[in-house]
Amino acid sequence: MQAPTTIDGSDEFMPASRPRRVSVLGATGSIGRNTLDVIRHFSAREDFRIVALTGRANVDLLASQAVEFGAEIAVTADEGKYGALKAALAGTGIEAAAGAQALEEAAARSADWVMAGIVGIAGLAPTLAAAQAGATIALANKECLVSAGDLFLAECAASGSAVLPVDSEHNAIFQVLETNQRQAVERIILTASGGPFRDWAMERMAQVTPQIAAAHPNWSMGMKISIDSATMFNKALEMIEARHLFAVEPRQIEVVVHPQSVIHSMVGYADGSVLAQMGSPDMRTAIGFALAWPRRAHVPVERLDFAKLSRLDFETPDEQRFPALRLAREAMDAGGVSGAILNGAKEAALEAFIAGKIGFLDIARAVEETLERLDAGEEPDTLEAVYEADRQARATALELMAA
Ligand code: NAD
Ligand code: MG
């Protein structure tokens, strides 16, 4: 088959002389499965060597992914699942391992490109291990930056590992941020779908179940991020993520509700120009962008049909019903370990909501009270300081929720 070419007739894709070594952390999740799907597609024209695939509960899926892609090693974060994983991989020659330590070691194996697709603060240590080993990091896990932003980026800079944002908003900004015009950037405008309760009254929101909250109107994602979209804590995390990734001041970060999720985010410049990136709401575009970077390659997502897109709407977010955005701004202003506190309290409250212990509106309440109760302190300069803030935030949120 003849390789497709770009408009100027040059090769769209220049395969490297040796297979590219790739690991996928969180391979069994929504980001991980989409990543493997893109790798499957790119494999028609580029050789990949899959180094490590990791997961947690679903070891059957993990094992079948490892077999399909011929991975060197498959790791489950759950030590109790080691036996099952080992049995599923028996006779394949693929290594099996389990537990947090094994996860970090697998993440640190020599690789050119690593997808950071583990959900939550659990993704921090393995992603950092991959960055310290010098791999290019395709960063879906936003908690690395929310909880340990400066520390994480300093480690990436020290090892020379590039960070490519995969979160769709940050990927969009990365695409339209002109690197030689940084001083002319006035604002970054994050778009938000507004989630399933965008126009619901507070009384109705108070009653929602985790199942209803997890049904996102546009994007198909993991359960936790879907509920975070419903509370708008996802956008709160993304504001902090943007601040670190693009080195802008908190006041330069705006959020606009855009229910169609076609514009994935925008950058406003000093001359009044606003550059936007658009596409179908499908994470494979951002993943494919990161996998092909610094070039672009074909990704089989649905193309935007402007004739069918009759309109694009924009609204100001309602911070009465969605206090998360205000809390993100307060956390950015307070500095220190506030990002880790906000995220830790949010993770604890989210788990309590999923377990049916608190109501939907109690999530923001627990985060707000935890941020009020704990001291922002200094910028964390060790992982231990980040984990300590995370532990304290979870404990405080649990105590407040039980009261
Ligand atoms: P998911 O729940 O679908 O998958 C999470 C993955 O992490 C799974 O492989 C799971 O096995 C693994 N995992 C869960 N707990 C773990 C633990 N304690 N230790 C090690 N591994 C663990 O989540 P997702 O929706 O794919 O999201 C992954 C990350 O990407 C999150 O940080 C999310 O915010 C971010 N993100 C996701 C999307 C999306 O479309 N899904 C979009 C933007 C950003
Ligand atoms: Mg996002």
Side-chain angles (χ1 to χ4, degrees):
M1 189 185 89
Q2 204 180 346
T5 54
T6 52
I7 283 169
D8 68 2
S10 61
D11 283 347
E12 183 194 24
F13 213 77
M14 273 284 242
S17 50
R18 62 170 175 81
R20 195 143 55 119
R21 292 174 61 82
V22 164
S23 289
V24 182
L25 311 178
T28 55
S30 163
I31 287 288
R33 281 178 277 121
N34 276 313
T35 303
L36 291 176
D37 195 49
V38 174
I39 291 172
R40 211 178 267 125
H41 183 72
F42 277 27
S43 290
R45 281 184 293 116
E46 187 188 357
D47 284 340
F48 292 96
R49 179 85 180 93
I50 304 300
V51 183
L53 297 181
T54 85
R56 189 177 60 168
N58 193 347
V59 291
D60 289 336
L61 175 61
L62 179 61
S64 73
Q65 291 175 331
V67 170
E68 179 190 345
F69 288 89
E72 286 177 12
I73 183 169
V75 187
T76 162
D78 181 351
E79 288 187 32
K81 301 266 180 189
Y82 176 68
L85 181 63
K86 182 131 182 89
L89 291 173
T92 62
I94 298 168
E95 289 174 68
Q101 185 67 30
L103 189 60
E104 269 182 65
E105 283 168 16
R109 283 196 183 195
S110 156
D112 299 302
W113 189 94
V114 175
M115 169 55 74
I118 293 174
V119 62
I121 187 85
L124 176 57
T127 306
L128 195 60
Q132 284 165 334
T136 291
I137 304 296
L139 191 67
N141 174 287
K142 56 196 86 186
E143 293 85 355
C144 285
L145 290 173
V146 172
S147 301
D150 292 347
L151 180 64
F152 178 79
L153 291 175
E155 290 289 337
C156 293
S159 67
S161 99
V163 177
L164 304 175
V166 170
D167 207 347
S168 58
E169 295 76 4
H170 307 75
N171 183 263
I173 294 162
F174 187 84
Q175 292 195 38
V176 296
L177 195 61
E178 300 175 337
T179 45
N180 56 349
Q181 297 296 342
R182 293 298 286 259
Q183 78 296 341
V185 170
E186 243 172 29
R187 55 190 178 141
I188 273 174
I189 305 155
L190 296 171
T191 53
S193 69
F197 313 136
R198 183 170 55 87
D199 46 15
W200 286 34
M202 287 279 243
E203 304 73 57
R204 205 170 156 214
M205 283 163 68
Q207 306 301 324
V208 305
T209 61
Q211 237 173 345
I212 299 173
H216 196 278
N218 306 337
W219 296 89
S220 152
M221 311 182 284
M223 184 182 200
K224 288 184 173 174
I225 183 176
S226 298
I227 300 176
D228 282 351
S229 298
T231 55
M232 290 194 81
F233 268 106
N234 183 47
K235 210 52 54 183
L237 301 184
E238 289 179 355
M239 292 167 75
I240 305 176
E241 184 185 10
R243 193 227 173 147
H244 289 291
L245 273 175
F246 307 115
V248 288
E249 295 298 322
R251 58 170 179 77
Q252 292 178 284
I253 303 171
E254 297 176 13
V255 174
V256 65
V257 172
H258 165 45
Q260 292 90 357
S261 300
V262 165
I263 295 180
H264 297 150
S265 277
M266 302 177 259
V267 176
Y269 290 92
D271 60 4
S273 298
V274 175
L275 302 193
Q277 185 266 354
M278 298 188 233
S280 297
D282 185 325
M283 287 308 293
R284 291 175 302 170
T285 292
I287 293 167
F289 176 90
L291 193 61
W293 184 85
R295 306 185 131 233
R296 287 186 188 264
H298 181 266
V299 179
V301 297
E302 196 179 326
R303 273 31 186 173
L304 283 182
D305 179 343
F306 286 91
K308 283 195 194 137
L309 261 183
S310 54
R311 50 191 279 184
L312 298 178
D313 294 299
F314 304 96
E315 307 167 2
T316 306
D318 176 352
E319 297 193 10
Q320 272 313 102
R321 288 182 304 125
F322 300 101
L325 306 183
R326 171 175 54 82
L327 297 178
R329 238 175 273 116
E330 288 171 8
M332 286 191 280
D333 288 341
V337 289
S338 301
I341 296 172
L342 180 142
N343 184 65
K346 189 278 295 173
E347 286 193 24
L350 175 61
E351 279 156 25
F353 172 66
I354 292 171
K357 292 184 182 143
I358 62 168
F360 184 75
L361 298 177
D362 298 327
I363 302 174
R365 210 167 289 143
V367 176
E368 176 153 23
E369 288 174 11
T370 303
L371 279 165
E372 278 165 12
R373 176 91 68 98
L374 296 178
D375 190 0
E378 301 290 310
E379 258 338 284
D381 52 7
T382 61
L383 262 196
E384 203 29 63
V386 173
Y387 287 135
E388 180 52 30
D390 178 74
R391 268 194 294 276
Q392 276 194 23
R394 283 168 197 271
T396 304
L398 285 176
E399 196 187 309
L400 289 165
M401 289 184 290

